[in-house]
Amino acid sequence: MTIRFKPFWRWVALGTAIAVLVVTTPQMASSRVSETVEPLMVAQQTVNSQFDRWRSHYINGDYEAAVSILEPLLDETGNSRTARGLAYSYLSLTHQKLGNWEAAQTAIDRSVELIGVPSATASASTQRIFATSLNTRGQLQFSLGEMELAYDSWREATGVYRRLSDEEGVTGGLLNQAQALQAMGFARRACDTVLQGLDASVQQCQALEEDEIQAQIEESIDRLENPALRVALLQGLGNGLRAIGQFPASREVLQQALVDVSALSSPDLQSSVWLDLGNTERAILTRDRDLRRAAEERRGSMGDAIAYYRQARAIANSPYLQLQSQLNLLSLLVEPSLGNAETFENSPELEPLARQSLAAIRELKIGRTTLNARANLACSVIGCDRLERNEPPRSLILPFTEIESLLTVSDVDVNLDALTDERAVSYLFGTLGKLYERQNETLEKAENATQKALALAIQGGELDLAYQWQWQLGRILNRRNAGSERAIAAYENAVEQLERLRQDLTRFDLASRVSFRQKIEPVYRQFFEVALQEETPSQEQLEKVRSKLSDFQLAELENYLQCSLQEDGAKSLDEIAAENRAAILYPVILPQKIAVIAKLPGDDRLIFTATEISETEVLRKIQEFRKSLQQPNINRTNLELSRAFFEWLIQPIESHPEFQAEDIDTLVFVPDTRLRNIPMSALRYEDCDDGKCYLIQKYAIAMNLGISLKNPQPLRDREMTVLMGGLIEGIPERGLEALEYVESELDAIEATLDATGDLRDRSFTRPNLEFLLNTRSSAIVHLATHGKFSSEPESTLLATWYEDIYLQDIASIFQTQRQNQEEPIELLVLSACETGVEDPRATLGLAGVSVQSGARSTLASLWNVNDASSALLVTNFYQNSIDSNIENKAQALQYAQLEMINNSDFDYNSPYYWSPYILVGNWL
């Protein structure tokens, strides 16, 4: 029997899968298989048309009839082994649709057995049928949650197509592999795998430029003759770009897919593209919320996201696509924080949507997708995100008992323990725990369900779920017995699980599954709150919190930069501080208090202080204090707030007997990110009769980002060479005003230090800077230019004459420098930059530039003082740095600031002039 394959369909296994529901819960965003790419189709060049009849029934959803059509083809009489093998492959696909997993497994095993592994010299038809069987096996493995096995099967099938020089088969195989990689958490590898299918000149998704993406992929897309394959690739790329956070590029690619799919008569394929566009728009809305963008600065549209989901739902024929669209729309409507102005929470649309989704779920066979659908529907109805944030739960959209029945699967005859997909079952039990978490009277049930979810997650190696169930267990136990050892231990275990995930970023792309602001930061902050509930926490608890405060800052910075910052051989902060008479202070803002943990250089015991004040009030005062500091004149608000922060952060520690017994001359702050927006040097004593009013007048001050210091050494141990550059003239067309005092600043540096390069105005360009960094060794890089630090990596930049250098470019420029030069940059100085007053996490941008440059320390300004004072401070700093009587960079900065405070020849004693400069990293 000769079997002929129709173009395109011969490789498509991913089309037979049920689409995974992409909603707010992390695991749902990890994988999505398009329901709308139709199943593998074959035609026989014989009178017998059973395969065509099977295909017709299969496409129309008449699976029982499809099974009956295949049964005669399984008979040994009159049918070749190859034909029977193909029939068993199709039988497995059909049983997968029916949810008959054991029958599907038996059928595909028999298919592989009958076909065997053909040699490279076997006929092309035989090899293609073998690849078909591999695709079907991969599809079954994917549906059962066996992602690594699915990837292996699809990769083997791709190898067969590559051997046959079958371009479309290879492309389809790569798309399948990308689905498996995405499900395993390898978002970047998945996206790059789709690019292989495009055979584009750009090999990595991260390298695609938003403004040039059409040009970069247009030629590759245009060469594809098959329009359905073209759409599939665009969808795969758009979804991959979304998974790695390239949201505008994802939107652009999917909009092109929408244009192309409109020419195809496939409502389900069109529906899937609308659905993907909705998911991307939702991701942009989530980014807007996480970055606290003002309404006029938001880049996503709630109205567009809703419209996309509604359109996907309206045109879909597939019940799975209809369900996807309904659930995603429902989850969007119940999260008003994503909206612009309108609140959808009380929309009359909610209950009908929930009931329609519930009815649809009950019509579907139990499997990985339907279990996830049950949990996602329940989360929308329960308000899972609010529970995680410890916010009051909203009213249930459906009755409690109906949700309980949905999550216990009591409405169908199924044994959850028999299902092989631990992730899906774990997610179901975890969501059941959330339902019970809502009510005090069901907290014991909540604990039991969560324990089951945790056990399954650990058993399946699903660490990203395990940390969430430990976190949930901590919340439940804390409600049952506030501050109990079990609650603290659960939170601690959750944090430890997160640490393991962070340390294994090459294997598991956590960022592709969770939002840091929504799913990681609250774990740490709730742990700090629970562990520090007692008036006098134990030394053991303080040490744990201190350690995790550093870990949290590191995790936040890693999330911001999307890279690992784990360093081998780094020297601990405690060790350096002990050698240099420095106290380390860890201020943290809690919901109802601001707390400080202090480590003194000569004492293993930690000091703890706390002041009762709400988080909301502290954040408001941070913003007010920062605004007051940016006024040249010292005003009443400035005085009151500088004293208030001194009383909260410094006074209780400084008055402690152990502190007074130490000869401390330096304070190193490892502050809560939101406290970095204010310069600690400007904190003011209530009583300053001795003339020492500001903290900087008693202590040198530095800031640490939670990172251990690698090979720290004093600046003067290096040859004091400097590469400097900056903008003096204004560039009106880019909104850059003249920095008239930069010229005197650079002249003074050149007179003090040995300059390896001097780039000003038109010579201050990216190529020139990169060339000098790569060819000349410099201990210091001094850039006096417009710069902006932001909580958005894409908005953090430094200006050169012709262009802005963004954060990712900074990493690239300085990475080359690190490869070409034996010694790293000891000090990076950014003297005309600023952070946004309204952005509580803007200093992440400063931290990001500091880390990406590879410099051991960074001196930067929180706001730009376009005045002769900046040149004076910088000049004094460098002169102090080469003074053998001054011990380190922190003291060099301190004395430069004191010169401005105390020198009566200048009117620069206001903090506006001297306090914006902060030293980050190695202060020696």
Side-chain angles (χ1 to χ4, degrees):
M1 181 180 295
T2 304
I3 300 172
R4 180 176 62 83
F5 284 81
K6 290 185 178 179
F8 177 58
W9 308 117
R10 59 181 174 266
W11 51 262
V12 181
L14 61 88
T16 64
I18 296 168
V20 175
L21 307 170
V22 184
V23 293
T24 56
T25 48
Q27 65 279 11
M28 307 319 298
S30 65
S31 63
R32 181 183 179 277
V33 181
S34 174
E35 165 68 17
T36 60
V37 180
E38 298 185 21
L40 188 72
M41 292 196 277
V42 298
Q44 301 177 31
Q45 294 176 338
T46 66
V47 176
N48 195 326
S49 62
Q50 282 99 319
F51 281 141
D52 287 321
R53 292 171 59 205
W54 166 83
R55 183 176 65 249
S56 177
H57 286 297
Y58 185 96
I59 292 174
N60 292 324
D62 189 357
Y63 303 123
E64 298 289 354
V67 170
S68 66
I69 294 295
L70 291 172
E71 286 176 350
L73 296 174
L74 307 177
D75 194 337
E76 295 182 12
T77 306
N79 295 310
S80 69
R81 290 177 64 89
T82 303
R84 287 161 54 213
L86 186 59
Y88 272 112
S89 177
Y90 289 163
L91 182 63
S92 177
L93 287 176
T94 312
H95 280 307
Q96 290 179 46
K97 282 291 188 181
L98 291 167
N100 299 332
W101 305 113
E102 290 186 9
Q105 185 68 62
T106 300
I108 193 58
D109 288 345
R110 183 64 175 145
S111 173
V112 173
E113 178 187 348
L114 286 167
I115 298 169
V117 180
S119 67
T121 58
S123 69
S125 176
T126 299
Q127 292 191 59
R128 285 196 175 96
I129 291 173
F130 175 62
T132 298
S133 189
L134 291 174
N135 279 334
T136 301
R137 185 177 70 183
Q139 184 53 64
L140 176 61
Q141 290 161 337
F142 188 97
S143 297
L144 294 175
E146 299 169 344
M147 303 306 171
E148 293 184 13
L149 293 177
Y151 175 76
D152 290 340
S153 293
W154 285 334
R155 185 175 58 177
E156 188 177 355
T158 305
V160 174
Y161 291 126
R162 187 170 279 120
R163 189 165 65 228
L164 296 172
S165 299
D166 185 336
E167 186 177 345
E168 288 190 357
V170 169
T171 302
L174 290 171
L175 283 171
N176 282 333
Q177 290 178 53
Q179 298 290 344
L181 289 167
Q182 180 71 20
M184 288 188 285
F186 300 132
R188 289 179 179 80
R189 281 182 59 193
C191 193
D192 295 345
T193 299
V194 176
L195 273 184
Q196 290 181 42
L198 284 168
D199 196 23
S201 57
V202 178
Q203 299 298 309
Q204 293 183 323
C205 287
Q206 288 287 138
L208 288 171
E209 299 289 341
E210 180 185 338
D211 297 336
E212 302 176 13
I213 192 167
Q214 287 288 4
Q216 289 175 311
I217 68 172
E218 186 174 11
E219 183 179 347
S220 302
I221 287 291
D222 286 347
R223 69 176 171 76
L224 297 171
E225 296 180 0
N226 190 310
L229 181 57
R230 176 187 174 109
V231 172
L233 277 168
L234 286 170
Q235 276 189 278
L237 181 59
N239 292 336
L241 289 166
R242 181 179 63 245
I244 64 172
Q246 303 279 64
F247 301 140
S250 171
R251 179 198 270 159
E252 183 177 353
V253 170
L254 289 172
Q255 285 172 340
Q256 181 59 51
L258 190 63
V259 171
D260 289 359
V261 79
S262 62
L264 300 177
S265 57
S266 175
D268 280 349
L269 192 53
Q270 292 173 14
S271 172
S272 74
V273 178
W274 282 110
L275 183 62
D276 289 337
L277 265 171
N279 293 335
T280 291
E281 201 65 31
R282 184 199 185 102
I284 297 171
L285 287 166
T286 301
R287 173 74 66 83
D288 287 341
R289 178 194 62 192
D290 288 353
L291 296 177
R292 295 174 172 83
R293 287 179 177 140
E296 64 275 9
E297 296 175 349
R298 291 181 181 176
R299 300 170 189 180
S301 166
M302 175 69 94
D304 284 352
I306 291 173
Y308 296 152
Y309 286 143
R310 284 178 174 157
Q311 180 67 9
R313 177 190 179 203
I315 65 176
N317 290 328
S318 161
Y320 298 104
L321 277 172
Q322 290 174 3
L323 179 58
Q324 264 190 293
S325 306
Q326 288 175 184
L327 288 178
N328 287 9
L329 177 58
L330 178 63
S331 69
L332 185 63
L333 292 176
V334 298
E335 187 53 74
S337 67
L338 294 180
N340 294 320
E342 185 177 357
T343 298
F344 299 91
E345 189 176 2
N346 298 316
S347 167
E349 188 177 6
L350 297 185
E351 185 176 353
L353 264 178
R355 291 216 167 274
Q356 290 165 17
S357 301
L358 182 60
I361 287 171
R362 284 175 170 160
E363 291 295 318
L364 301 177
K365 285 276 189 177
I366 289 296
R368 181 173 188 259
T369 301
T370 49
L371 290 180
N372 287 333
R374 287 169 180 265
N376 281 318
L377 173 58
C379 258
S380 292
V381 172
I382 294 167
C384 290
D385 288 349
R386 294 193 180 193
L387 289 168
E388 291 169 350
R389 298 193 295 263
N390 276 334
E391 294 177 0
R394 61 166 174 262
S395 301
L396 292 173
I397 301 171
L398 298 175
F400 184 96
T401 53
E402 286 193 58
I403 309 168
E404 185 179 35
S405 173
L406 178 73
L407 294 172
T408 52
V409 203
S410 58
D411 56 330
V412 292
D413 183 17
V414 63
N415 180 8
L416 285 179
D417 294 334
L419 294 176
T420 59
D421 191 346
E422 289 100 345
R423 184 179 186 90
V425 182
S426 172
Y427 182 38
L428 196 73
F429 276 120
T431 309
L432 180 62
K434 281 190 171 70
L435 174 66
Y436 291 140
E437 185 185 352
R438 286 175 55 96
Q439 302 178 163
N440 289 331
E441 56 269 26
T442 55
L443 286 178
E444 185 176 354
K445 286 184 176 181
E447 181 182 346
N448 293 336
T450 306
Q451 290 281 18
K452 286 183 181 179
L454 178 61
L456 285 164
I458 293 173
Q459 179 181 321
E462 306 287 353
L463 296 185
D464 65 309
L465 282 185
Y467 95 81
Q468 293 184 66
W469 306 144
Q470 291 281 14
W471 172 24
Q472 182 167 304
L473 194 59
R475 294 195 307 270
I476 294 165
L477 292 171
N478 194 52
R479 281 181 59 191
R480 296 189 72 184
N481 185 7
S484 69
E485 291 184 6
R486 289 185 65 208
I488 294 173
Y491 272 111
E492 190 176 355
N493 288 335
V495 171
E496 292 296 335
Q497 294 280 18
L498 277 173
E499 295 301 307
R500 281 191 281 275
L501 287 173
R502 280 181 44 235
Q503 292 165 9
D504 202 10
L505 283 174
T506 56
R507 186 190 70 83
F508 187 91
D509 189 1
L510 183 62
S512 73
R513 294 196 173 191
V514 299
S515 159
F516 184 88
R517 293 280 169 257
Q518 300 297 310
K519 299 291 184 181
I520 297 179
E521 181 174 354
V523 184
Y524 282 96
R525 293 203 178 278
Q526 289 173 26
F527 168 64
F528 301 149
E529 179 186 5
V530 172
L532 299 177
Q533 280 186 100
E534 298 294 330
E535 186 175 344
T536 309
S538 69
Q539 286 293 308
E540 181 183 7
Q541 285 300 101
L542 291 175
E543 188 56 58
K544 287 178 181 178
V545 171
R546 183 173 81 108
S547 171
K548 299 311 174 191
L549 280 167
S550 294
D551 290 342
F552 167 60
Q553 294 212 19
L554 192 58
E556 185 176 39
L557 193 52
E558 286 179 339
N559 176 267
Y560 180 82
L561 296 174
Q562 292 295 289
C563 67
S564 175
L565 299 177
Q566 311 294 326
E567 284 273 15
D568 295 326
K571 197 169 183 179
S572 77
L573 198 58
D574 286 359
E575 187 178 351
I576 302 168
E579 294 170 356
N580 293 276
R581 303 188 309 280
I584 312 170
L585 274 59
Y586 300 81
V588 58
I589 303 169
L590 302 173
Q592 297 303 324
K593 59 188 171 186
I594 186 167
V596 182
I597 299 173
K599 173 68 173 67
L600 306 184
D603 194 344
D604 289 335
R605 291 183 59 80
L606 300 172
I607 300 173
F608 172 75
T609 67
T611 303
E612 298 293 328
I613 182 171
S614 74
E615 179 180 26
T616 303
E617 183 70 5
V618 173
L619 296 180
R620 184 180 64 81
K621 288 184 180 296
I622 287 174
Q623 194 171 102
E624 288 180 4
F625 185 30
R626 171 60 186 275
K627 287 180 179 178
S628 74
L629 285 169
Q630 291 188 216
Q631 301 299 318
N633 297 321
I634 300 175
N635 53 57
R636 182 174 179 179
T637 299
N638 177 287
L639 290 173
E640 290 177 350
L641 290 173
S642 64
R643 288 166 179 162
F645 278 98
F646 175 83
E647 290 172 3
W648 298 336
L649 303 179
I650 305 299
Q651 188 177 57
I653 299 294
E654 195 180 47
S655 60
H656 207 279
E658 282 87 347
F659 187 97
Q660 295 178 351
E662 297 283 347
D663 183 20
I664 293 170
D665 58 21
T666 302
L667 300 181
V668 178
F669 288 88
V670 187
D672 190 308
T673 308
R674 298 164 296 180
L675 282 167
R676 292 183 197 155
N677 257 10
I678 56 174
M680 297 299 172
S681 58
L683 303 192
R684 187 179 178 94
Y685 288 81
E686 177 70 31
D687 179 9
C688 55
D689 292 339
D690 59 357
K692 296 181 178 180
C693 297
Y694 294 102
L695 195 62
I696 194 65
Q697 293 177 283
K698 289 193 176 182
Y699 307 100
I701 294 171
M703 184 171 70
N704 183 270
L705 304 173
I707 303 174
S708 296
L709 305 180
K710 192 169 185 178
N711 191 26
Q713 56 181 289
L715 180 60
R716 62 171 175 269
D717 287 358
R718 290 274 303 274
E719 184 180 359
M720 296 285 280
T721 54
V722 59
L723 166 60
M724 58 187 184
L727 294 180
I728 302 166
E729 297 180 25
I731 309 177
E733 60 270 26
R734 289 168 58 196
L736 303 179
E737 64 179 16
L739 299 173
E740 54 186 298
Y741 295 97
V742 163
E743 185 164 22
S744 59
E745 179 178 322
L746 297 180
D747 288 344
I749 295 170
E750 192 171 27
T752 306
L753 305 176
D754 181 15
T756 60
D758 186 356
L759 304 173
R760 307 191 193 194
D761 286 335
R762 286 170 176 76
S763 68
F764 183 50
T765 66
R766 173 176 173 169
N768 288 346
L769 177 62
E770 196 162 6
F771 174 77
L772 291 179
L773 281 169
N774 293 337
T775 58
R776 302 181 188 179
S777 178
S778 304
I780 303 167
V781 174
H782 184 108
L783 304 179
T785 182
H786 298 275
K788 178 185 177 184
F789 301 134
S790 169
S791 58
E792 301 181 54
E794 58 268 31
S795 297
T796 290
L797 58 88
L798 298 173
T800 64
W801 183 260
Y802 293 110
E803 62 183 328
D804 293 330
I805 303 178
Y806 289 89
L807 187 61
Q808 64 269 29
D809 303 317
I810 293 169
S812 173
I813 291 171
F814 283 92
Q815 182 178 23
T816 307
Q817 183 273 338
R818 291 196 296 273
Q819 293 169 349
N820 293 342
Q821 302 296 337
E822 291 184 6
E823 290 286 346
I825 297 167
E826 192 63 44
L827 175 65
L828 172 67
V829 180
L830 305 169
S831 68
C833 297
E834 57 186 323
T835 60
V837 177
E838 306 292 337
D839 186 348
R841 291 180 170 84
T843 51
L844 278 172
L846 189 162
V849 172
S850 175
V851 169
Q852 296 289 52
S853 72
R856 286 182 171 140
S857 55
T858 299
L859 177 63
S861 56
L862 291 176
W863 60 86
N864 176 27
V865 181
N866 191 8
D867 188 273
S869 62
S870 59
L872 177 63
L873 185 141
V874 169
T875 302
N876 287 338
F877 168 75
Y878 283 122
Q879 290 174 345
N880 294 338
S881 297
I882 60 176
D883 187 336
S884 60
N885 294 317
I886 295 177
E887 297 182 8
N888 52 51
K889 292 190 285 285
Q891 284 191 2
L893 177 60
Q894 178 193 20
Y895 290 171
Q897 290 172 314
L898 292 179
E899 175 69 14
M900 297 182 72
I901 295 171
N902 298 328
N903 194 329
S904 58
D905 293 338
F906 306 101
D907 187 19
Y908 294 145
N909 65 334
S910 167
Y912 166 78
Y913 296 103
W914 51 262
S915 72
Y917 295 90
I918 59 173
L919 182 64
V920 180
N922 171 31
W923 71 91
L924 299 184

